Amino acid sequence: MAETMILVPGRTSKQGTSLNKGKLKQEYLSVTSTLEMNSDDMQRLGLEEGDSVRLSNDIGETIVSCKGRKPEDLPSGMLFIPYGPPSSQLMASDTAGTGMPLSKLIEVLVEKVA
Amino acid sequence: MAVTLRIVNGKLYDPINNIDGKIQDICIEDGRIVESVPDDATRIDAQGMVIMPGGVDIHCHIAGPKVNAARKLQPEDHRRDPHPGTPFTRSGTGGTVPSTFATGYRYATLGYTTAMEAAVTPIGARHTLEEFHDTPVIDKGFYVLLGNNIFLQNLLREGRKEEFRQAVAWWVNSTKAYTVKLVNPGGDEPWKGKKNSNVSDIDEKIDDLSPRQIIEAFITTVNDMGFPHPPHIHCNNLGHSGNYKTTLETMRTAGDQRAHLAHIQFHSYGGELGKNPDSKAAEIIEYVNTHPNITCDVGQVMFGKATIMTADAPLAYVLRGLTDNKWVNVDTECESGCGILPFNYQEHIYMHSLQWAIGLELFLMSEDPWRVILSTDHPNGGSFMHYPKLIKLLMDRGFRKEEISRVNQKAIAKTALPDLDREYTLNEIAIITRAGPAKALGLKHKGHLGPGADADITIYDEMDDKEMMFNAPRYVIKSGKAIIADHEFVGDHIGKLLHITPEYDAKIEEIVQPFFENYYSIEFDNYAVADSYLHDHEIVPTTNQ
Amino acid sequence: MTMSENIKTVKNATCTFCGCVCDDMVLTVDLDEKRITKAKNACVLGRAWFAEHTIGDWPVAMIDGKEVSKEEAIEEAAQTLVKAKFPIIYGLSDTTCEAQRQAVAITDIIKGTIDTTTSVCHGPSGLAFQGVGESTMSLGEVKNRADLVIYWGGNPAASHPRHFTRYTVTPKGMFIPNGKKDRTVVLVDVRKTPSVPVADIFIQLKPGKDFEVLWALRALVKGKKIDASIEEETGVSLATLEDLVDKMKNCRYGVLFFGMGLTMTRGRHFNSGALMALTTDLNEFTHFVAKPVRGHGNVTGADNVVSWQTGYPFGVNFNRGYPRFNPGEFTTVDTLSRGDADAAMFIASDPASNFPKAAIEHMKKIPVISLDTKQTETSKLAHVAFATSTYGINTGGTVYRMDDLPITMRPAFDSPYPDDEEILTAIKKRVQELVWAKQGIKAAVGEARVA
C-alpha cells in the first residue's frame, strides 16, 4: 500500500547539534533518517513506531524510519524530516532560473518496507 | 615608475600657493612634493598640459551598509555599465552605485585622489572600513552619524553638556571617523517610533528636544574640540518647498562658529509647503557669502539616473510615494536610519529642472569659491562621473545656455540662471574641486602641491572642451606613484584612511555602557572598531593637539 | 577527563553557528586540551558548536585521499583552477569576510564563477529585494520597539533558539518595558512546530499557499474585498486574515520575520516578494519592517562581500572579464546539475550532502577542491582537500549578523591548521602568477591586484 504525501525537510535541534559532532557520524545519519508522520496516516499504512519506510519519486528514493506525531501538530498527508543526505535524494535539480531547488513540500510516494 | 620624479613644462594651478597657470617644475620624492630632485630623476614632459593637485570629494556615498544595500538593489544599473579588469586592476560594475574597485578606479580616471564618505552609522563603521580597504587608489575618510543618537540626545535633554562632549569624542574615536554628521536631526524618532512622521520645524520639540538644540550642541562641542572639519549638516526639511528658512536658521544657529552645510542646493527652496517650490538660491548664497565660518557643498543635480541614499529615511519614503518604485528602509538601533530608492532626474520635470538650475545659481552667485564646493551628493544628485560635465557648465556659458534651453522653462523662469553670465576659470575650478575642499576639511597636505604636500597629482591635456579635458587626465599620480599614464592604468594602490582622535576621558565609557547593555543588541566591548581595521592610515590632528 | 590548570576565559566571544551571531558568549577554554569546556549564554546549538570543534587529527592537505604538504596542495589547487574552462567557487557562509574577499579575488583572476550558500537559502529573498526593495531594521530595534512580531515559514526554536530570547520576544526594550507582555507574537506555518508555544496566535495554512495568503493580506491592507472562499483555498479563514490585518495596521512597530518556508517552496522569490511588498504597504499606516532569518553564521557576510566587490550578491560569473549576474545560469545547483562546471572549489560548505542528486553526480566527475574544518561527504570526494581551522573558535576576523551588523570575533584557542584566508590567499597568489605567465606579463605578485 503506497500513498502520495508531501515531505517537508527542515531543521531540528538534534539535527543541529549532531551536525556539529560530524556529518559522517552515526548520530547525524540517524537523525536525518528519522521521518515524522501523522499518527493516523501511520495507522492507515500499517506502520508502527520505528518501522522502515520507503520514500520515492522521479528523482530517487530513500529508506527512513518513522515516528508518529499528533494529527493536530502534523496534518494528514504531510511528512517532516530533518534535512540531510536522505532527503536530498528526493530533491529535483530544476531551480526555475532562480538557483534554488525546491527543497520543501516535495511530493513523495510513501510505502512500508517489509 | 620611479620613486623620484620631475614633472616639467606643465601649467600649474595651485590656488593654496597662489599659483594660477604658471609653468613650473614639480618634484616628487617618496610620495611627497619636494623642492627639487637630482637631475637623473625620471621626467614627465607635461608640455601643453594642465597640472592640478588631485581632486578632493568632500561629500559622496561610496562605502558602507547603506551603499551596499543600494548596490544590491540595482543589478539593472550595474548590468549596463561593466568595469572590466586589467592585468593590474580588479574588475567590477558601475552605474550610480559602483562596486568598490570600480569606485576607486573611476575616481582615479577623473583625477580624484581623496573622497569622504558622508554618512556612516557608528555600528556600521566596521563595514565602511572593510569596503574602504577594497576601494583602491583614493585616500578616504567618513563622517559618523550622531545627530539622531538616542544616548547623546538624552544627555542633552538632561543638560549634561560635559558628558555630551566626552561621549561625542569617544564615539568619533571608537568608529575611526573624520567628523560628526547630522542628518535631519531629531527626525528619526518620529519616523520609527511615531508611525512614520517627521520633524518639520527646527524649533519643534521631539520629547522635549528640538533640532536646533541638537545642532547647536554639536557645533559648539565640535568647534571647541578643534576638529579639522566642523559638523557636517544635512538640514531638516530637505526637498520641501519653503525649506530655505530652515537652512537659514540652521546657519544662524552656528553664529560665527564653523559649520558645513551639505548639498545646500536641496535646501534652497522657496514657496509654500504642498505646492511647487521656487528658488531661494540668492538668499542662501547671500548668507554663505557674508559668513566666512560657513562652508558648503552644492549637491548639484545632473539629469539622468541617480540613486537616493540618505539617512533622512522619512524623505526617502516621501520620494517613494512620488515614483512608486522599489524602496529600501533600514532602521539602525538607537542611532540612525536610512532610505534608498532608484531615481531619475528628467529635463521636462519642473522640480528637477528647478533643482538643476538652483545648483548652478549657487555656484554662479558664490563670491567665495573656497567655501562653495563642488559635489553632486553622489549618487543622490547624480554620479560623480558627471563632474566633468558640471565643470563645463560652469566654465562655458555658451554650453550652459544650450543646456538651459533644453530643460523645463517654467522652472528656469523661477530662477536668475539665464542672467548669470559668469564663467569659472581654471583657477576657480581648482579651488572648488581641490583647494577649497582640502582647506574646509583641514587637510594640510592635500589640495596643493607645495613642498611637503602629498604627491597626489592630476595632469590634464589642456583642451577647449572642458568636459573632455576633465574626463580623461593623461596622468594621475597618487602618493608619488603613477596610477594612470597616457590614459592607461599602470599600477594599483591602496589609499589610506584619514581619521581623527580627539581627546576624551575614558571614564565616559562607564556612562555609555549601561545604556548600551539595556538597549543595544550587541555587547559594548564589541562595538568600538579595533585598530586592525585601520590598515594604512593617517591621524589628522585637531587644533588642540 | 580532568581539566588542566591552564584555563582561559574569553568574554564577548561570538557564536557563528546560526545567523543570530550572538556575541555575548563567555567561553571557558582549556588551553592544554585545546577545547572549550563551557560556553555560557550559548543555546543548545551553540554549545554543540563550541564543544565539538576541537583539534582534529586529519591531515592539513590531501590529494586524492593521500596526505601531501600544504604547498603541494596549493599548487595542485591553483593548477586545477587555471586549467579549467568553467571553474566554480561555492560556499563561503561559514568563514570570515577576510577569507571571502580572497575567494572573490581568485574568481576574478581565473574569470570563473562564484556563488554562495545564499543561492539555496535566502537567494530568492535577495531576488525579491532587487525587485521590490525592503523595509527592514537591526535586531535591537525589534527589542526596543516591536509590539507585533510575526514569524512566517520559519521555526526559530529549532534553527535559531535565541532569536526569541535575545532579540525579539522576551527582552525588555526602550519602548517595551514589560518584554513579552507588551508584544503580540504571531506564527504562520504549515505544521505545528516547537516554535508555536511562543506565539499568541498560530495560523496554520495549507502547504504551498503562502503567496495566496500574503496577497490576500495585501489586498485587505489596501481596503479591497476578499471572498470568504479564501478559507477553502488556503486553510485560513477570512476572519483570521481580517483580524491579522487589523493588528498589523494598528501596531506601533511591526516586524515580519520569514524563513525557508517561503524561499524553498514553489514561487520562491514571489513568496518572499509578496511578504516584502506587504511590509512596504503597511508603512502607509504604521512603521513596519521585515527581515529574512539567515541560516549560517556568515552568509550575510558573504552577501555583503560579494556585493561590494562585484555589485551582485551571488551567482556571479567573470568569464568576460567583469562580473555578470544570472541566477539560474551561474548559481551552483545549476552549474553542477547541467554539467557546466569542469572544476569546483567548495569553501566551508558541504554540497555533497545537501544538493540535489544530479548536482552530486556531476561533482563526482570533476576535480573538486574543498576547504572545511571537518570531514564531510564533500571533502571525501575532493581531489584536493584542505582541513582548515574554525572561524570564531581558532580564527578571528569579521562576520555579519543576519541584520548586517558587522562583528569582530574573539577566538578561543590556536589551531595547528591554517585558516581559510591563509589557504585562499596562497592559492590566489599562485593563480595570479600562472595567469600572468599565460598572458606573458612579467609582474611580481603583490605589486598589483590589490586585495
PDB file of all heavy atoms in Angstrom, chain B residues 499-526:
ATOM      1  N   HIS B 499      41.596  59.888   9.642  1.00  0.00           N
ATOM      2  CA  HIS B 499      40.673  59.961  10.771  1.00  0.00           C
ATOM      3  C   HIS B 499      41.260  60.811  11.875  1.00  0.00           C
ATOM      4  O   HIS B 499      42.421  61.238  11.805  1.00  0.00           O
ATOM      5  CB  HIS B 499      40.321  58.548  11.278  1.00  0.00           C
ATOM      6  CG  HIS B 499      41.476  57.785  11.852  1.00  0.00           C
ATOM      7  ND1 HIS B 499      41.507  57.331  13.152  1.00  0.00           N
ATOM      8  CD2 HIS B 499      42.652  57.378  11.308  1.00  0.00           C
ATOM      9  CE1 HIS B 499      42.641  56.690  13.377  1.00  0.00           C
ATOM     10  NE2 HIS B 499      43.344  56.698  12.270  1.00  0.00           N
ATOM     11  N   ILE B 500      40.431  61.093  12.879  1.00  0.00           N
ATOM     12  CA  ILE B 500      40.892  61.962  13.973  1.00  0.00           C
ATOM     13  C   ILE B 500      40.749  61.230  15.301  1.00  0.00           C
ATOM     14  O   ILE B 500      39.966  60.294  15.433  1.00  0.00           O
ATOM     15  CB  ILE B 500      40.107  63.298  14.013  1.00  0.00           C
ATOM     16  CG1 ILE B 500      38.636  63.070  14.376  1.00  0.00           C
ATOM     17  CG2 ILE B 500      40.242  64.033  12.690  1.00  0.00           C
ATOM     18  CD1 ILE B 500      37.871  64.371  14.575  1.00  0.00           C
ATOM     19  N   THR B 501      41.535  61.682  16.274  1.00  0.00           N
ATOM     20  CA  THR B 501      41.491  61.059  17.608  1.00  0.00           C
ATOM     21  C   THR B 501      41.400  62.144  18.676  1.00  0.00           C
ATOM     22  O   THR B 501      42.333  62.318  19.464  1.00  0.00           O
ATOM     23  CB  THR B 501      42.749  60.190  17.847  1.00  0.00           C
ATOM     24  OG1 THR B 501      43.912  61.000  17.648  1.00  0.00           O
ATOM     25  CG2 THR B 501      42.800  59.005  16.911  1.00  0.00           C
ATOM     26  N   PRO B 502      40.277  62.853  18.719  1.00  0.00           N
ATOM     27  CA  PRO B 502      40.155  63.914  19.731  1.00  0.00           C
ATOM     28  C   PRO B 502      40.244  63.328  21.131  1.00  0.00           C
ATOM     29  O   PRO B 502      39.833  62.196  21.367  1.00  0.00           O
ATOM     30  CB  PRO B 502      38.748  64.468  19.474  1.00  0.00           C
ATOM     31  CG  PRO B 502      38.025  63.402  18.747  1.00  0.00           C
ATOM     32  CD  PRO B 502      39.047  62.634  17.962  1.00  0.00           C
ATOM     33  N   GLU B 503      40.804  64.084  22.040  1.00  0.00           N
ATOM     34  CA  GLU B 503      40.983  63.571  23.404  1.00  0.00           C
ATOM     35  C   GLU B 503      39.657  63.435  24.134  1.00  0.00           C
ATOM     36  O   GLU B 503      38.745  64.234  23.931  1.00  0.00           O
ATOM     37  CB  GLU B 503      41.885  64.516  24.187  1.00  0.00           C
ATOM     38  CG  GLU B 503      43.317  64.007  24.200  1.00  0.00           C
ATOM     39  CD  GLU B 503      44.298  65.104  23.851  1.00  0.00           C
ATOM     40  OE1 GLU B 503      44.078  66.244  24.324  1.00  0.00           O
ATOM     41  OE2 GLU B 503      45.246  64.846  23.099  1.00  0.00           O
ATOM     42  N   TYR B 504      39.617  62.425  24.976  1.00  0.00           N
ATOM     43  CA  TYR B 504      38.437  62.272  25.831  1.00  0.00           C
ATOM     44  C   TYR B 504      38.834  61.531  27.090  1.00  0.00           C
ATOM     45  O   TYR B 504      39.887  60.887  27.130  1.00  0.00           O
ATOM     46  CB  TYR B 504      37.327  61.509  25.103  1.00  0.00           C
ATOM     47  CG  TYR B 504      37.662  60.063  24.805  1.00  0.00           C
ATOM     48  CD1 TYR B 504      37.278  59.040  25.673  1.00  0.00           C
ATOM     49  CD2 TYR B 504      38.372  59.717  23.668  1.00  0.00           C
ATOM     50  CE1 TYR B 504      37.590  57.714  25.416  1.00  0.00           C
ATOM     51  CE2 TYR B 504      38.689  58.404  23.397  1.00  0.00           C
ATOM     52  CZ  TYR B 504      38.304  57.402  24.263  1.00  0.00           C
ATOM     53  OH  TYR B 504      38.631  56.098  23.998  1.00  0.00           O
ATOM     54  N   ASP B 505      37.999  61.655  28.116  1.00  0.00           N
ATOM     55  CA  ASP B 505      38.227  60.967  29.380  1.00  0.00           C
ATOM     56  C   ASP B 505      37.559  59.597  29.307  1.00  0.00           C
ATOM     57  O   ASP B 505      36.343  59.504  29.131  1.00  0.00           O
ATOM     58  CB  ASP B 505      37.622  61.809  30.512  1.00  0.00           C
ATOM     59  CG  ASP B 505      37.928  61.231  31.877  1.00  0.00           C
ATOM     60  OD1 ASP B 505      38.332  60.039  31.965  1.00  0.00           O
ATOM     61  OD2 ASP B 505      37.773  61.957  32.872  1.00  0.00           O
ATOM     62  N   ALA B 506      38.365  58.542  29.432  1.00  0.00           N
ATOM     63  CA  ALA B 506      37.846  57.175  29.272  1.00  0.00           C
ATOM     64  C   ALA B 506      36.726  56.857  30.250  1.00  0.00           C
ATOM     65  O   ALA B 506      35.964  55.917  30.056  1.00  0.00           O
ATOM     66  CB  ALA B 506      38.978  56.169  29.418  1.00  0.00           C
ATOM     67  N   LYS B 507      36.599  57.655  31.290  1.00  0.00           N
ATOM     68  CA  LYS B 507      35.522  57.409  32.273  1.00  0.00           C
ATOM     69  C   LYS B 507      34.141  57.477  31.628  1.00  0.00           C
ATOM     70  O   LYS B 507      33.178  56.932  32.165  1.00  0.00           O
ATOM     71  CB  LYS B 507      35.592  58.460  33.405  1.00  0.00           C
ATOM     72  CG  LYS B 507      36.641  58.190  34.440  1.00  0.00           C
ATOM     73  CD  LYS B 507      36.079  58.377  35.867  1.00  0.00           C
ATOM     74  CE  LYS B 507      37.153  58.906  36.822  1.00  0.00           C
ATOM     75  NZ  LYS B 507      37.335  60.373  36.681  1.00  0.00           N
ATOM     76  N   ILE B 508      34.061  58.152  30.497  1.00  0.00           N
ATOM     77  CA  ILE B 508      32.750  58.282  29.861  1.00  0.00           C
ATOM     78  C   ILE B 508      32.174  56.915  29.500  1.00  0.00           C
ATOM     79  O   ILE B 508      30.956  56.743  29.445  1.00  0.00           O
ATOM     80  CB  ILE B 508      32.827  59.195  28.601  1.00  0.00           C
ATOM     81  CG1 ILE B 508      31.421  59.573  28.084  1.00  0.00           C
ATOM     82  CG2 ILE B 508      33.592  58.537  27.478  1.00  0.00           C
ATOM     83  CD1 ILE B 508      30.640  60.444  29.032  1.00  0.00           C
ATOM     84  N   GLU B 509      33.060  55.936  29.287  1.00  0.00           N
ATOM     85  CA  GLU B 509      32.573  54.605  28.943  1.00  0.00           C
ATOM     86  C   GLU B 509      31.686  54.043  30.053  1.00  0.00           C
ATOM     87  O   GLU B 509      30.752  53.294  29.791  1.00  0.00           O
ATOM     88  CB  GLU B 509      33.747  53.670  28.670  1.00  0.00           C
ATOM     89  CG  GLU B 509      34.494  54.055  27.395  1.00  0.00           C
ATOM     90  CD  GLU B 509      35.559  53.051  27.004  1.00  0.00           C
ATOM     91  OE1 GLU B 509      35.612  51.955  27.610  1.00  0.00           O
ATOM     92  OE2 GLU B 509      36.334  53.367  26.087  1.00  0.00           O
ATOM     93  N   GLU B 510      31.990  54.421  31.291  1.00  0.00           N
ATOM     94  CA  GLU B 510      31.155  53.925  32.400  1.00  0.00           C
ATOM     95  C   GLU B 510      29.735  54.470  32.308  1.00  0.00           C
ATOM     96  O   GLU B 510      28.800  53.883  32.846  1.00  0.00           O
ATOM     97  CB  GLU B 510      31.749  54.361  33.747  1.00  0.00           C
ATOM     98  CG  GLU B 510      33.070  53.689  34.071  1.00  0.00           C
ATOM     99  CD  GLU B 510      33.808  54.393  35.212  1.00  0.00           C
ATOM    100  OE1 GLU B 510      33.130  55.011  36.079  1.00  0.00           O
ATOM    101  OE2 GLU B 510      35.052  54.335  35.222  1.00  0.00           O
ATOM    102  N   ILE B 511      29.592  55.601  31.642  1.00  0.00           N
ATOM    103  CA  ILE B 511      28.257  56.185  31.495  1.00  0.00           C
ATOM    104  C   ILE B 511      27.547  55.591  30.284  1.00  0.00           C
ATOM    105  O   ILE B 511      26.337  55.369  30.296  1.00  0.00           O
ATOM    106  CB  ILE B 511      28.352  57.716  31.311  1.00  0.00           C
ATOM    107  CG1 ILE B 511      29.374  58.323  32.261  1.00  0.00           C
ATOM    108  CG2 ILE B 511      26.983  58.349  31.410  1.00  0.00           C
ATOM    109  CD1 ILE B 511      28.818  58.933  33.493  1.00  0.00           C
ATOM    110  N   VAL B 512      28.313  55.363  29.230  1.00  0.00           N
ATOM    111  CA  VAL B 512      27.707  54.830  27.999  1.00  0.00           C
ATOM    112  C   VAL B 512      27.300  53.375  28.161  1.00  0.00           C
ATOM    113  O   VAL B 512      26.245  52.948  27.709  1.00  0.00           O
ATOM    114  CB  VAL B 512      28.683  54.958  26.805  1.00  0.00           C
ATOM    115  CG1 VAL B 512      28.041  54.427  25.531  1.00  0.00           C
ATOM    116  CG2 VAL B 512      29.108  56.395  26.600  1.00  0.00           C
ATOM    117  N   GLN B 513      28.145  52.619  28.859  1.00  0.00           N
ATOM    118  CA  GLN B 513      27.957  51.168  28.884  1.00  0.00           C
ATOM    119  C   GLN B 513      26.581  50.710  29.383  1.00  0.00           C
ATOM    120  O   GLN B 513      25.967  49.862  28.751  1.00  0.00           O
ATOM    121  CB  GLN B 513      29.085  50.505  29.685  1.00  0.00           C
ATOM    122  CG  GLN B 513      28.999  48.991  29.595  1.00  0.00           C
ATOM    123  CD  GLN B 513      30.296  48.284  29.951  1.00  0.00           C
ATOM    124  OE1 GLN B 513      31.341  48.889  30.104  1.00  0.00           O
ATOM    125  NE2 GLN B 513      30.223  46.982  30.071  1.00  0.00           N
ATOM    126  N   PRO B 514      26.072  51.226  30.493  1.00  0.00           N
ATOM    127  CA  PRO B 514      24.762  50.746  30.960  1.00  0.00           C
ATOM    128  C   PRO B 514      23.656  50.976  29.937  1.00  0.00           C
ATOM    129  O   PRO B 514      22.797  50.115  29.736  1.00  0.00           O
ATOM    130  CB  PRO B 514      24.513  51.572  32.228  1.00  0.00           C
ATOM    131  CG  PRO B 514      25.828  52.087  32.638  1.00  0.00           C
ATOM    132  CD  PRO B 514      26.660  52.214  31.409  1.00  0.00           C
ATOM    133  N   PHE B 515      23.677  52.118  29.287  1.00  0.00           N
ATOM    134  CA  PHE B 515      22.677  52.385  28.242  1.00  0.00           C
ATOM    135  C   PHE B 515      22.785  51.315  27.174  1.00  0.00           C
ATOM    136  O   PHE B 515      21.804  50.754  26.693  1.00  0.00           O
ATOM    137  CB  PHE B 515      22.924  53.768  27.638  1.00  0.00           C
ATOM    138  CG  PHE B 515      21.996  54.103  26.503  1.00  0.00           C
ATOM    139  CD1 PHE B 515      20.752  54.673  26.749  1.00  0.00           C
ATOM    140  CD2 PHE B 515      22.350  53.830  25.182  1.00  0.00           C
ATOM    141  CE1 PHE B 515      19.887  54.975  25.702  1.00  0.00           C
ATOM    142  CE2 PHE B 515      21.495  54.124  24.140  1.00  0.00           C
ATOM    143  CZ  PHE B 515      20.260  54.700  24.399  1.00  0.00           C
ATOM    144  N   PHE B 516      24.020  51.039  26.813  1.00  0.00           N
ATOM    145  CA  PHE B 516      24.304  50.036  25.803  1.00  0.00           C
ATOM    146  C   PHE B 516      23.720  48.694  26.165  1.00  0.00           C
ATOM    147  O   PHE B 516      23.045  48.039  25.372  1.00  0.00           O
ATOM    148  CB  PHE B 516      25.819  49.908  25.699  1.00  0.00           C
ATOM    149  CG  PHE B 516      26.244  49.717  24.310  1.00  0.00           C
ATOM    150  CD1 PHE B 516      26.478  50.814  23.514  1.00  0.00           C
ATOM    151  CD2 PHE B 516      26.385  48.461  23.778  1.00  0.00           C
ATOM    152  CE1 PHE B 516      26.856  50.658  22.214  1.00  0.00           C
ATOM    153  CE2 PHE B 516      26.756  48.295  22.470  1.00  0.00           C
ATOM    154  CZ  PHE B 516      26.989  49.400  21.694  1.00  0.00           C
ATOM    155  N   GLU B 517      24.000  48.289  27.393  1.00  0.00           N
ATOM    156  CA  GLU B 517      23.569  46.955  27.806  1.00  0.00           C
ATOM    157  C   GLU B 517      22.052  46.844  27.807  1.00  0.00           C
ATOM    158  O   GLU B 517      21.511  45.782  27.514  1.00  0.00           O
ATOM    159  CB  GLU B 517      24.145  46.623  29.181  1.00  0.00           C
ATOM    160  CG  GLU B 517      25.608  46.228  29.073  1.00  0.00           C
ATOM    161  CD  GLU B 517      26.360  46.259  30.384  1.00  0.00           C
ATOM    162  OE1 GLU B 517      25.733  46.545  31.430  1.00  0.00           O
ATOM    163  OE2 GLU B 517      27.579  46.005  30.356  1.00  0.00           O
ATOM    164  N   ASN B 518      21.395  47.943  28.073  1.00  0.00           N
ATOM    165  CA  ASN B 518      19.940  47.879  28.080  1.00  0.00           C
ATOM    166  C   ASN B 518      19.331  47.875  26.686  1.00  0.00           C
ATOM    167  O   ASN B 518      18.367  47.182  26.429  1.00  0.00           O
ATOM    168  CB  ASN B 518      19.361  49.084  28.831  1.00  0.00           C
ATOM    169  CG  ASN B 518      19.545  48.937  30.327  1.00  0.00           C
ATOM    170  OD1 ASN B 518      19.602  47.826  30.842  1.00  0.00           O
ATOM    171  ND2 ASN B 518      19.656  50.054  31.020  1.00  0.00           N
ATOM    172  N   TYR B 519      19.920  48.687  25.810  1.00  0.00           N
ATOM    173  CA  TYR B 519      19.178  48.994  24.591  1.00  0.00           C
ATOM    174  C   TYR B 519      19.806  48.571  23.284  1.00  0.00           C
ATOM    175  O   TYR B 519      19.148  48.587  22.262  1.00  0.00           O
ATOM    176  CB  TYR B 519      18.852  50.496  24.547  1.00  0.00           C
ATOM    177  CG  TYR B 519      18.067  50.932  25.769  1.00  0.00           C
ATOM    178  CD1 TYR B 519      18.543  51.942  26.601  1.00  0.00           C
ATOM    179  CD2 TYR B 519      16.875  50.295  26.099  1.00  0.00           C
ATOM    180  CE1 TYR B 519      17.829  52.321  27.717  1.00  0.00           C
ATOM    181  CE2 TYR B 519      16.154  50.668  27.230  1.00  0.00           C
ATOM    182  CZ  TYR B 519      16.634  51.682  28.033  1.00  0.00           C
ATOM    183  OH  TYR B 519      15.946  52.058  29.144  1.00  0.00           O
ATOM    184  N   TYR B 520      21.078  48.233  23.290  1.00  0.00           N
ATOM    185  CA  TYR B 520      21.675  47.732  22.060  1.00  0.00           C
ATOM    186  C   TYR B 520      21.541  46.211  22.026  1.00  0.00           C
ATOM    187  O   TYR B 520      21.223  45.579  23.023  1.00  0.00           O
ATOM    188  CB  TYR B 520      23.151  48.131  21.962  1.00  0.00           C
ATOM    189  CG  TYR B 520      23.373  49.518  21.382  1.00  0.00           C
ATOM    190  CD1 TYR B 520      23.230  50.651  22.173  1.00  0.00           C
ATOM    191  CD2 TYR B 520      23.730  49.683  20.057  1.00  0.00           C
ATOM    192  CE1 TYR B 520      23.448  51.920  21.644  1.00  0.00           C
ATOM    193  CE2 TYR B 520      23.956  50.950  19.517  1.00  0.00           C
ATOM    194  CZ  TYR B 520      23.806  52.058  20.326  1.00  0.00           C
ATOM    195  OH  TYR B 520      24.024  53.307  19.797  1.00  0.00           O
ATOM    196  N   SER B 521      21.819  45.622  20.872  1.00  0.00           N
ATOM    197  CA  SER B 521      21.709  44.159  20.776  1.00  0.00           C
ATOM    198  C   SER B 521      23.053  43.505  20.538  1.00  0.00           C
ATOM    199  O   SER B 521      23.118  42.329  20.227  1.00  0.00           O
ATOM    200  CB  SER B 521      20.754  43.782  19.647  1.00  0.00           C
ATOM    201  OG  SER B 521      21.302  44.197  18.402  1.00  0.00           O
ATOM    202  N   ILE B 522      24.135  44.293  20.618  1.00  0.00           N
ATOM    203  CA  ILE B 522      25.460  43.655  20.641  1.00  0.00           C
ATOM    204  C   ILE B 522      26.160  44.099  21.926  1.00  0.00           C
ATOM    205  O   ILE B 522      25.699  45.019  22.596  1.00  0.00           O
ATOM    206  CB  ILE B 522      26.340  44.013  19.414  1.00  0.00           C
ATOM    207  CG1 ILE B 522      26.732  45.487  19.395  1.00  0.00           C
ATOM    208  CG2 ILE B 522      25.658  43.625  18.124  1.00  0.00           C
ATOM    209  CD1 ILE B 522      27.825  45.776  18.383  1.00  0.00           C
ATOM    210  N   GLU B 523      27.236  43.413  22.252  1.00  0.00           N
ATOM    211  CA  GLU B 523      27.935  43.709  23.505  1.00  0.00           C
ATOM    212  C   GLU B 523      28.737  45.010  23.399  1.00  0.00           C
ATOM    213  O   GLU B 523      29.314  45.298  22.352  1.00  0.00           O
ATOM    214  CB  GLU B 523      28.877  42.564  23.858  1.00  0.00           C
ATOM    215  CG  GLU B 523      28.145  41.268  24.145  1.00  0.00           C
ATOM    216  CD  GLU B 523      27.157  41.419  25.283  1.00  0.00           C
ATOM    217  OE1 GLU B 523      27.599  41.561  26.446  1.00  0.00           O
ATOM    218  OE2 GLU B 523      25.937  41.416  25.020  1.00  0.00           O
ATOM    219  N   PHE B 524      28.789  45.741  24.470  1.00  0.00           N
ATOM    220  CA  PHE B 524      29.515  47.001  24.496  1.00  0.00           C
ATOM    221  C   PHE B 524      30.967  46.824  24.055  1.00  0.00           C
ATOM    222  O   PHE B 524      31.498  47.611  23.272  1.00  0.00           O
ATOM    223  CB  PHE B 524      29.458  47.599  25.903  1.00  0.00           C
ATOM    224  CG  PHE B 524      30.131  48.929  26.016  1.00  0.00           C
ATOM    225  CD1 PHE B 524      29.594  50.038  25.399  1.00  0.00           C
ATOM    226  CD2 PHE B 524      31.320  49.062  26.724  1.00  0.00           C
ATOM    227  CE1 PHE B 524      30.223  51.278  25.485  1.00  0.00           C
ATOM    228  CE2 PHE B 524      31.950  50.296  26.823  1.00  0.00           C
ATOM    229  CZ  PHE B 524      31.398  51.406  26.201  1.00  0.00           C
ATOM    230  N   ASP B 525      31.592  45.792  24.533  1.00  0.00           N
ATOM    231  CA  ASP B 525      33.004  45.574  24.186  1.00  0.00           C
ATOM    232  C   ASP B 525      33.216  45.247  22.716  1.00  0.00           C
ATOM    233  O   ASP B 525      34.340  45.316  22.231  1.00  0.00           O
ATOM    234  CB  ASP B 525      33.587  44.427  25.031  1.00  0.00           C
ATOM    235  CG  ASP B 525      33.987  44.909  26.408  1.00  0.00           C
ATOM    236  OD1 ASP B 525      34.124  46.130  26.599  1.00  0.00           O
ATOM    237  OD2 ASP B 525      34.165  44.054  27.302  1.00  0.00           O
ATOM    238  N   ASN B 526      32.157  44.852  22.027  1.00  0.00           N
ATOM    239  CA  ASN B 526      32.294  44.516  20.607  1.00  0.00           C
ATOM    240  C   ASN B 526      31.899  45.664  19.698  1.00  0.00           C
ATOM    241  O   ASN B 526      31.870  45.515  18.491  1.00  0.00           O
ATOM    242  CB  ASN B 526      31.436  43.285  20.279  1.00  0.00           C
ATOM    243  CG  ASN B 526      32.006  42.026  20.877  1.00  0.00           C
ATOM    244  OD1 ASN B 526      33.206  41.941  21.167  1.00  0.00           O
ATOM    245  ND2 ASN B 526      31.156  41.036  21.102  1.00  0.00           N
TER     246      ASN B 526
END
